[in-house]
Amino acid sequence: MSLTPEQLATECSRVMHITDYAAQMMGIEIIQTSVGKAELRMTVRKDMLNGHGSCHGGMMFTLADTAFAHACNSTNKVTVASGCTIDFIAPAFEGDTLIAVAEERTRSGRTGIYDINLTKPDGALVAIFRGRSYQIKGQIVAEDAV
């Protein structure tokens, strides 16, 4: 089987999501994945709220981190986070849909930098996440499937 780079990115994302039980538990859905990019969404539930009644920062971080993972693994090279930061801009509340758009800024050798914007569907910015990646050994999709 021969996949285009875009098809491979989509397949890597699909395969990773199958065993990402944390993302599944949080209801994170893949909107699309392409080379160096990923777009995921999540609806804020009551069990995701903090003591102030807004979405817990850890839940927003997890959505952004998951989009980061899908973007940096889109070339079928196992890649992990080496560090990341998040800045919270605005709150999200129960029932809000959050969209995480991850984009590769640079990838050289084994390292990369990715920016992820968390927004509401109207484009209102909720958080900005920057992730640094490090490529390790392995592939997401078996070579004979590529």
Side-chain angles (χ1 to χ4, degrees), residues 52-68:
H52 298 294
S54 60
C55 185
H56 192 290
M59 301 296 174
M60 290 191 275
F61 183 97
T62 301
L63 173 60
D65 187 45
T66 304
F68 167 45

Side-chain angles (χ1 to χ4, degrees), residues 34-48:
S34 58
V35 178
K37 296 181 180 179
E39 186 174 350
L40 282 66
R41 80 174 147 238
M42 173 185 85
T43 300
V44 178
R45 303 183 312 239
K46 185 175 184 174
D47 62 347
M48 297 175 167

Side-chain angles (χ1 to χ4, degrees), residues 7-25 28-30 32-34 37-38 40 62-81 102 107 114 136 138-142:
Q7 290 170 327
L8 181 58
T10 298
E11 182 64 5
C12 288
S13 194
R14 185 191 73 77
V15 168
M16 284 180 24
H17 192 67
I18 290 170
T19 55
D20 188 341
Y21 303 112
Q24 291 176 36
M25 178 265 308
I28 295 173
E29 301 172 298
I30 302 164
Q32 65 180 16
T33 306
S34 58
K37 296 181 180 179
L40 282 66
T62 301
L63 173 60
D65 187 45
T66 304
F68 167 45
H70 285 256
C72 69
N73 283 279
S74 63
T75 59
N76 203 29
K77 295 178 174 98
V78 175
T79 306
V80 296
R107 187 168 182 152
Y114 296 76
I136 60 174
Q139 295 181 313
I140 310 300
V141 179

Side-chain angles (χ1 to χ4, degrees), residues 74-144:
S74 63
T75 59
N76 203 29
K77 295 178 174 98
V78 175
T79 306
V80 296
S82 64
C84 49
T85 60
I86 191 165
D87 292 297
F88 300 106
I89 309 300
F93 300 97
E94 184 177 358
D96 285 347
T97 296
L98 298 178
I99 299 168
V101 177
E103 294 186 60
E104 183 179 278
R105 293 297 174 219
T106 183
R107 187 168 182 152
S108 179
R110 292 184 173 265
T111 64
I113 297 173
Y114 296 76
D115 287 333
I116 298 85
N117 285 341
L118 249 58
T119 64
K120 293 182 181 177
D122 65 2
L125 191 60
V126 175
I128 299 170
F129 177 108
R130 173 161 273 192
R132 296 179 309 281
S133 68
Y134 186 78
Q135 180 186 317
I136 60 174
K137 292 180 183 180
Q139 295 181 313
I140 310 300
V141 179
E143 259 185 61
D144 58 352

